[in-house]
Every structure is written in structure tokens, then in C-alpha cells.
Amino acid sequence: MDKPKILVVNDDANSLFALTSLLAQWAEAEPYEVIAARSGEEALRQVLLHDFAVILLDVNMPGMDGFETAEAIHQRGRSANIPIIFITAFVADELDRLKAYQRGAADFLFTPVIPQVLHAKISVFVALAVKNEELKKQARQLHQRTNDLIASNKRLLQEIEERKVAERQNHAKDEFLAMLGHELRNPLSAISSAASLIGLPGVSHEGAARAKKIIQRQSQHLGRIVDDLLDLSRAMSGKILLNRTPLDLAALIANCLETYRATGRTADYHVSMELEPGWVDGDVTRLEQIFSNLLDNALKYTPPGGSIDIVMEVDGDDIVLTVHDTGVGISAELLPHVFDVFVQGTSTLDRAQGGLGIGLALVRRLAELHGGSVDAESAGAGEGSTFSIRLPRTERITETKPETMETTEQSKPTILLIEDNDDGREMMAMMLSCYGYEVQHAADGLQGIEAALRHKPDVALVDIGLPGIDGYEVARRLRADGATRGIRLIALTGYGLAEDQRRVLEAGFDMHLVKPVDIESLMKAIGSLTNPNSSSAPAA
């Protein structure tokens, strides 16, 4: 801490020397510093440079006297509280004393100055200055400590909030995993029971047919669950590749709703539709997925007999699609998180609605990928809910009718199936054979290449994840050999990202299909590659 400073102001050199010398003697034992000034103007300059514990100010000075100097010192905010002791050779009357105190005088001393009295007065003001400086230091320390505590408290509150968020997320993930297990076991149990029923002696033809339909229906349900999970993963990692094309969103929604009506899924509800024509630049499949997820959500949480209103309108440069239902509504606590991953309105395993609760998270991500947004509104539990999708509008495209091409009946192409899963290989070979295809098959990549050289099939269905050499290497070797270069190659894989499609085509495949593949889709793929009117050509 700097030493307190004492300013001595006197125009008389001898008096100034006497006072400063006397103070300097005491300064050896006390912590202060003495500064001298010969005039009021010089005193003001010193006050601008330093803070003083006390000022000894001569009253009678030429030019600016002591009263004027004191008034100027106390007009400045920083020096307004400096105590001033006036020193005069004249006995001041009451008016002079009043004038001095009005100018900020703390005390009077008369010359000749009595050293003991001066020492006592100076000691008091120096002690006060030291104490004030200590208090200021303590105040600064307290202020700094307060700021540190505030910062620490903010960090603590932030950590507490982050921990709460992490706990909620972990809890939501635990519930999601429990729900996933529940949703997977239900169709698996039905498939297992139906498969066992078919093998029982004495089962009727009708019972076996019904069991087969159950297996097919539940297998499709499992496929949708896997697709939802994969789509969510792709959407969250930004790996969904949109196949954009101008389309009439109203026509797309009308077609989707007609499918729902044809399958009876909306039979128990009052569904109204008011669609204003509007065009967007979007992916047909993903836009159907957005609308289907919103409609599924409305059906899931609206009791039978409820109403679902679907409205699409043009709003400036945007198209707004709204799905309103009279269902269970959304609580105020859930509403801000309704589009978050792993969030559901119902968390019990025995709830009637079913599902994984990831549809709305997927809707938001798909809408954002299209340059749009999604919003949810609800007045609370039991008050229904409204979901609004906003997408950028594009100009209407005039459609041209494609030229029709006549097709001719032809013999079924021969098929080579390269698949390492024994059950999957056997089932697919049997299904293709039932539809009249001649099928050869192999259990790994090297056997598949040997079979291709031996049988020269028209089409090879190749699994990517093969033991020994994978499907990519199989394709590269078949394309490199002149004897097998013309075989049409279809990749069968459980990986459906854009990067996987790119690798498949670079390896020489003609087409990429994601498992599980239903027999109708597989036959269409084979037909598109082997039809003579097809524009596809084998990769070289």
C-alpha cells in the first residue's frame, strides 16, 4: 500500500521549509510522505497528481489565497473530501472561521505552530487515511470475492442444470430402450407363434393361411421399426440424401390420405381435408414420411370418434400444412420438448398407442432438411393439438406425358444368389423359385465367383457383408473378368446411407437394395435390369 501523502502549501519559503522539515522528522517513525507547494496554483496541480491524507494550507497567499484554493480543491469530485487545515498568522474572527469552514476547512492552526499540536492533528488524519485505504482494499477484495462467488454460483447452477438435462436424457433413453424392447418382442412373439402353428400336425388350411399373413404383417411392422431407427440416425447425423423434384404437395397429401382411407386406418375418425394447390421442391418419399408421421401421431393420440382436420394453404413464399386433432393434447411441460429425440407423451409400457416416440423428432429434421420448420400448439391436456409444417414454395411445373414403351413377354432371367446367412439364402431362393426363376446360390464371395463363371447367370444378387471377400470385391472381380462382365449386379445390404450407395455403385453394382427386401420389390428390380426396353446398362 502506498504511504499517505501530506501537502504543505505556503508562499513563504522559510515557513514552508520549517513545516516540511518538522513533518519529515516525524515521517521517519510514521508512514507518510510530505509534498510542498509554493502557491495555490501549484497545490491544484499536485492535487491532480496525488491523493492526500491532509492539506496544510496557508490562508494569506498572493494571487490565489487559501480560501480560493480550498474552494477549487473541493469542487473536484476526487479531492472533495480531503481534510484541509488552514494555517494563519492572524487570529481569525468568527466570520473568517465561518468562511473557512464553508470552504471545507477541517481545522485551524495559528503561527507560530506548536509542534506537539501539529503532530497530534497530523497523526489523526494520517491514521484515518491509512484506515480508509485499508477499508478500500477490503472493499475491493470483498467485491472481487463477491464476483468470484457469483461466477462460481453461475457455474454451479449451470452444472446442476446440465446434470438435470443429462439425467432427463438418460431417463428418456432408458425408457426408449425399454419401449424398443417391448415393440420388438411383440411382433417377434407373433411371428414365432405363427411359425410354430404352421408346423403343427392337423392345422387347417385356413389356419395356416392366417398364420402366414400374420408373419408377413408382423415382418413388415419390424421393417418399419428398423427403418424409423435408421432414418432417425441418418437425420441426426445429417446423412439423409434428398432426391428433390418439383411436386404438388396437395396432390401428394391427398394420395397419402386416400391410402389411409383404403386400408381403413381412418375409419373410426372424422377426417376433413382442405388443400390449396401448392408446389414445393422436395423429396417425395420424405415428404410422404413427414405427413404420415403427423397423421399417425394424430390417430395415435385421438380417441375413436374424434376429429382430425388437414389444411394446406399458401402463405406468401411458404406453404403451410396443418394437422389439427381433438385428441389428448399436450401438457405445458411437454410442449417445448415434443420434437426432442426420445421424448413421448406417454411412458408406460402398456399404453394403447404403441410406437417408439421418434416420429416427431424425425418430422422436424426432415422439415429442416427441406428448408422448412415445424411447430406444435396445444391448450393443454385434453384440448387436442395442432402441428404446422412450413415449407418454401416453388413455381408450378408443367407436366409432360412420358412416351409409353411396349414391353414383350420374355423368359425369366437366371439368378445367382450370394448370401452367407443360410436361412435368408434358402428363403429367398425358394421365393424366387416359386415365381419361376432359376436360382443358383453360394454361401460366400469366392464360391459366388466360381458359380458365376460356371453358370453365367443373367442377374447376381450379392450380399455386401460376406465372409472371405466382401460383396464390393465380388463385384469388382466379376466386372474385371470378360466372361462375367455382363452380369447385372444387385447389392443386398443392411446399410442404406448415401455413402453406402456411392460405394456400391463405384464397385460396379447396377442397383442397391436395402434389407429386408420384399419379393415384389425384388422382382421389379430384376425386371428393370433385364427388360430389353430398360435404359439401364451394366457397369463396366
Side-chain angles (χ1 to χ4, degrees):
M1 184 176 65
D2 294 337
K3 292 181 179 180
K5 295 178 176 61
I6 299 173
L7 177 62
V8 181
V9 187
N10 200 304
D11 65 307
D12 181 71
N14 293 328
S15 298
L16 184 62
F17 177 77
L19 283 172
T20 55
S21 298
L22 187 60
L23 292 171
Q25 292 179 8
W26 298 329
E28 295 177 359
E30 298 187 39
Y32 62 79
E33 179 182 348
V34 180
I35 296 176
R38 293 287 300 274
S39 66
E41 291 82 357
E42 186 178 351
L44 292 178
R45 287 194 294 272
Q46 292 296 336
V47 168
L48 290 174
L49 296 173
H50 306 288
D51 292 328
F52 291 98
V54 65
I55 299 175
L56 301 178
L57 180 58
D58 184 22
V59 173
N60 300 301
M61 293 185 296
M64 180 182 288
D65 65 16
F67 294 134
E68 293 171 333
T69 303
E71 186 175 9
I73 290 172
H74 283 167
Q75 283 179 347
R76 179 172 172 263
R78 185 172 176 179
S79 57
N81 295 320
I82 298 177
I84 297 176
I85 299 176
F86 282 110
I87 297 178
T88 179
F90 303 98
V91 176
D93 58 21
E94 293 300 324
L95 290 178
D96 288 335
R97 288 177 181 270
L98 177 61
K99 183 179 178 181
Y101 287 128
Q102 287 175 340
R103 299 298 190 276
D107 206 348
F108 270 93
L109 283 176
F110 302 98
T111 57
V113 174
I114 300 173
Q116 291 83 353
V117 174
L118 176 62
H119 186 205
K121 292 180 181 292
I122 290 296
S123 297
V124 170
F125 289 114
V126 168
L128 284 174
V130 172
K131 183 60 68 176
N132 284 336
E133 188 59 34
E134 290 178 353
L135 290 174
K136 289 180 182 178
K137 181 180 179 181
Q138 291 175 0
R140 289 192 297 269
Q141 292 175 343
L142 181 60
H143 180 70
Q144 182 61 44
R145 192 171 300 172
T146 301
N147 288 339
D148 292 342
L149 287 174
I150 291 174
S152 298
N153 189 51
K154 286 182 178 178
R155 289 194 298 271
L156 181 59
L157 291 175
Q158 183 178 358
E159 290 175 1
I160 291 174
E161 185 59 30
E162 290 175 351
R163 187 173 299 173
K164 288 180 179 179
V165 170
E167 288 175 353
R168 286 196 298 268
Q169 290 176 343
N170 287 334
H171 181 66
K173 289 178 183 178
D174 290 342
E175 287 188 344
F176 172 78
L177 291 174
M179 196 64 62
L180 176 60
H182 178 261
E183 292 297 322
L184 291 176
R185 288 190 182 94
N186 277 345
L188 286 173
S189 176
I191 291 171
S192 177
S193 298
S196 299
L197 177 65
I198 293 174
L200 292 177
V203 63
S204 66
H205 178 73
E206 293 78 9
R210 188 175 178 183
K212 291 175 183 178
K213 289 183 178 179
I214 289 174
I215 292 174
Q216 184 179 21
R217 184 168 60 249
Q218 294 301 322
S219 297
Q220 291 173 348
H221 179 57
L222 281 175
R224 286 195 297 270
I225 292 176
V226 173
D227 286 342
D228 282 347
L229 292 171
L230 291 176
D231 281 340
L232 179 64
S233 174
R234 295 166 191 160
M236 297 306 295
S237 60
K239 293 182 178 180
I240 283 185
L241 185 64
L242 297 181
N243 184 19
R244 290 179 178 267
T245 183
L247 56 92
D248 184 358
L249 187 59
L252 180 145
I253 293 170
N255 289 336
C256 287
L257 188 56
E258 184 59 33
T259 301
Y260 273 76
R261 284 171 171 162
T263 56
R265 296 184 63 187
T266 59
D268 297 331
Y269 302 89
H270 303 288
V271 180
S272 68
M273 180 173 59
E274 184 179 343
L275 305 177
E276 180 180 351
W279 287 67
V280 298
D281 184 31
D283 186 309
V284 174
T285 302
R286 298 306 180 183
L287 290 175
E288 288 179 348
Q289 193 172 12
I290 288 175
F291 175 68
S292 297
N293 282 355
L294 289 181
L295 186 54
D296 285 340
N297 187 76
L299 294 170
K300 182 186 298 184
Y301 293 107
T302 302
S307 298
I308 299 174
D309 301 319
I310 303 163
V311 178
M312 197 189 92
E313 56 188 354
V314 176
D315 182 15
D317 293 331
D318 294 333
I319 288 179
V320 180
L321 169 64
T322 302
V323 178
H324 172 74
D325 64 65
T326 58
V328 299
I330 306 171
S331 67
E333 295 78 12
L334 177 63
L335 191 59
H337 308 287
V338 72
F339 294 107
D340 294 349
V341 182
F342 305 131
V343 171
Q344 292 176 285
T346 309
S347 59
T348 56
L349 292 178
D350 59 349
R351 75 203 193 293
Q353 292 87 355
L356 296 176
I358 61 178
L360 293 180
L362 193 56
V363 165
R364 178 174 65 177
R365 187 61 185 136
L366 291 176
E368 291 172 348
L369 288 174
H370 281 85
S373 60
V374 61
D375 182 59
E377 297 178 6
S378 178
E383 299 296 330
S385 58
T386 301
F387 289 86
S388 300
I389 295 287
R390 184 175 290 270
L391 298 172
R393 183 172 65 90
T394 189
E395 294 301 322
R396 178 173 182 174
I397 304 299
T398 303
E399 297 183 10
T400 59
K401 288 182 107 181
E403 295 183 6
T404 58
M405 301 178 63
E406 293 185 0
T407 59
T408 58
E409 288 293 327
Q410 60 176 349
S411 60
K412 297 284 186 179
T414 56
I415 306 293
L416 171 62
L417 174 61
I418 308 175
E419 166 67 67
D420 66 312
N421 184 282
D422 294 338
D423 292 339
R425 185 176 66 252
E426 183 178 355
M427 288 297 100
M428 184 171 289
M430 289 175 63
M431 284 192 296
L432 289 170
S433 297
C434 290
Y435 281 90
Y437 291 95
E438 179 185 342
V439 183
Q440 303 294 328
H441 48 82
D444 60 43
L446 293 176
Q447 291 179 19
I449 293 173
E450 293 176 1
L453 289 169
R454 184 166 59 253
H455 298 288
K456 305 296 190 304
D458 298 308
V459 178
L461 308 177
V462 185
D463 181 36
I464 295 298
L466 295 170
I469 61 173
D470 60 22
Y472 300 119
E473 182 61 24
V474 170
R476 282 190 285 265
R477 294 190 186 186
L478 291 178
R479 290 294 184 224
D481 193 325
T484 56
R485 184 173 298 149
I487 299 175
R488 311 311 296 268
L489 301 179
I490 298 177
L492 302 178
T493 175
Y495 302 98
L497 300 180
E499 175 65 17
D500 302 314
Q501 297 180 29
R502 183 189 63 79
R503 290 186 63 190
V504 161
L505 297 178
E506 287 179 352
F509 283 96
D510 298 289
M511 190 172 291
H512 172 262
L513 297 180
V514 180
K515 294 179 179 179
V517 183
D518 61 84
I519 189 63
E520 289 81 4
S521 298
L522 182 58
M523 288 192 296
K524 286 180 181 179
I526 294 172
S528 69
L529 293 179
T530 57
N531 190 320
N533 293 323
S534 174
S535 59
S536 300

